[in-house]
């Protein structure tokens, strides 16, 4: 009797083992759920009927079928991260462009002529506003065809923005080519006196002041008097006495020599109107 009971138990265990894979397979085989339904324990989507009163269903879908918007930041904290490298050139690219610029010697660059596409890009770069910052490849393009731009008066300021003033040879070469450049307009000369060229050598400002002294009339100086007086503040970085500052000296000379009362008194009023710090004295000589 005991042996028969043992065999019966073994038969039941074998039968249960044979049925187990089919049950597991039915429970683990997923089926695609319906668009609006609820998944059952064996992976089959069971449809859900919307409530009759028009309220939202258990799945959060209103009667119209449009799902409610989900907020991804309900329980999250937001942090503002500032990237200090934004707007700066890559050091590896700077080294690459510096090496490429060093290969463009003065003798080799004189023979370079831009093609139609490069000429179109140069024309668009020359026409850029003074406040636009050129990219490294754009500065390299202007420097590469610098001899082809000597006849364009507006291109002088763009060329001087492309000069690496930390390189003595490049700075000296820029001075030589600037002396042969076509005379820029009065408005372009004002850019050479502004904040973009504060770190440039003193000869850049002196070149602009000499051009103003030779070409600007009293009426033109009066028309540009306010930005000219504001540009006097950038002469503080020059290692010269304040009374020898080139731009301030030019304005004082014209005011003293002019018989026009407007040109004589306008520098004083423009100096008073120029924005400056609370403890900043008026420009020297004014």
């Amino acid at each position: 009797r005991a042996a028969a009971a043992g065999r019966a138990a073994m038969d039941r265990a074998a039968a249960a083992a044979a049925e187990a894979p089919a049950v597991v397979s039915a429970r683990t085989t997923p089926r695609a759920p319906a668009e609006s339904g609820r998944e059952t324990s064996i992976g089959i989507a069971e449809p859900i009927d919307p409530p009759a009163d028009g309220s939202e269903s258990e799945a959060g879908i209103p009667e119209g079928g449009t799902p409610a918007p989900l907020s991804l930041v309900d329980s999250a904290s937001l942090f503002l991260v500032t990237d200090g490298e934004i707007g700066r050139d890559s050091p590896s690219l700077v080294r690459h462009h510096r090496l490429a610029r060093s290969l463009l010697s003065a003798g080799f660059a004189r023979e370079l002529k831009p093609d139609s596409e490069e000429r179109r890009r140069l024309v668009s770069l020359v026409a850029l506003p003074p406040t636009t910052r050129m990219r490294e490849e754009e500065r390299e393009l202007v420097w590469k065809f610098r001899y082809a731009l000597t006849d364009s008066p507006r291109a002088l300021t763009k060329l001087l923005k492309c000069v690496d003033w930390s390189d003595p040879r490049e700075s000296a070469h820029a001075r030589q080519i600037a002396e042969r450049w076509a005379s820029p307009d009065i408005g372009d000369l004002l850019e050479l006196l502004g904040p973009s060229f504060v770190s440039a050598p003193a000869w850049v400002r002196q070149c602009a002041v000499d051009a103003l002294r030779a070409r600007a009339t009293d009426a033109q100086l009066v028309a540009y008097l306010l930005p000219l007086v504001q540009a006097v503040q950038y002469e503080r970085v020059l290692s010269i006495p304040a009374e020898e500052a080139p731009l301030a000296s030019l304005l004082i000379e014209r005011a003293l020599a002019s018989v026009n009362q407007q040109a004589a008194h306008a520098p004083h009023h423009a100096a008073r109107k120029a924005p400056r710090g609370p403890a900043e004295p008026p420009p020297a000589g004014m």
Side-chain angles (χ1 to χ4, degrees):
R1 193 180 304 132
R7 283 194 298 272
M10 293 177 61
D11 293 339
R12 289 194 299 269
E19 295 177 359
V23 175
V24 173
S25 176
R27 292 185 176 181
T28 58
T29 303
R31 295 187 183 181
E35 184 175 355
S36 61
R38 179 169 49 206
E39 189 176 1
T40 62
S41 60
I42 60 174
I44 302 175
E46 181 182 1
I48 300 176
D49 296 329
D53 57 355
S55 60
E56 293 189 357
S57 62
E58 297 179 5
I61 303 176
E63 185 180 4
T66 304
L70 300 179
S71 178
L72 301 179
V73 293
D74 287 343
S75 59
S77 299
L78 298 180
F79 298 93
L80 181 61
V81 180
T82 303
D83 188 359
E85 299 297 327
I86 294 179
R88 298 183 180 180
D89 297 325
S90 172
S92 58
L93 289 178
V94 171
R95 289 193 296 268
H96 167 72
H97 291 302
R98 184 173 298 177
L99 177 61
R101 288 162 66 96
S102 64
L103 298 177
L104 296 174
S105 59
F108 178 70
R110 287 190 180 94
E111 307 299 329
L112 294 177
K113 299 297 181 183
D115 56 22
S116 58
E117 177 62 23
E118 291 171 335
R119 186 174 297 277
R120 184 189 64 81
R121 293 179 58 192
L122 288 172
V123 170
S124 62
L125 290 176
V126 171
L128 288 176
T131 55
T132 303
R133 183 177 182 268
M134 293 189 297
R135 298 191 299 270
E136 185 64 31
E137 58 269 18
E138 294 173 342
R139 295 197 295 267
E140 182 180 349
L141 180 66
V142 173
W143 181 256
K144 178 180 179 181
F145 296 107
R146 55 192 180 275
Y147 284 97
L149 296 172
T150 52
D151 295 332
S152 176
R154 296 193 60 185
L156 177 60
T157 57
K158 299 298 187 295
L159 172 74
L160 295 179
K161 287 183 177 180
C162 301
V163 179
D164 183 9
W165 301 116
S166 61
D167 188 350
R169 293 195 307 172
E170 189 167 319
S171 178
H173 177 61
R175 183 173 187 175
Q176 294 176 0
I177 195 173
E179 293 175 353
R180 306 186 310 173
W181 210 274
S183 301
D185 298 333
I186 303 299
D188 296 327
L189 294 175
L190 295 179
E191 185 178 356
L192 297 179
L193 301 172
S196 300
F197 295 93
V198 172
S199 60
W203 64 263
V204 175
R205 175 171 290 269
Q206 188 64 50
C207 177
V209 172
D210 292 342
L212 286 175
R213 179 179 285 107
R215 298 172 46 221
T217 63
D218 290 343
Q220 290 176 323
L221 288 182
V222 171
Y224 292 103
L225 195 56
L226 184 57
L228 285 173
V229 173
Q230 292 177 352
V232 173
Q233 60 181 315
Y234 301 116
E235 296 188 340
R236 298 175 180 176
V237 299
L238 302 178
S239 56
I240 56 176
E243 60 273 10
E244 297 180 7
L247 181 57
S249 300
L250 171 64
L251 296 179
I252 295 173
E253 291 173 4
R254 285 296 186 91
L256 294 177
S258 177
V259 296
N260 188 341
Q261 295 298 322
Q262 182 182 9
H265 295 286
H268 173 75
H269 297 293
R272 295 299 178 182
K273 294 180 181 179
R276 52 182 180 271
E280 181 180 346
M286 297 296 178

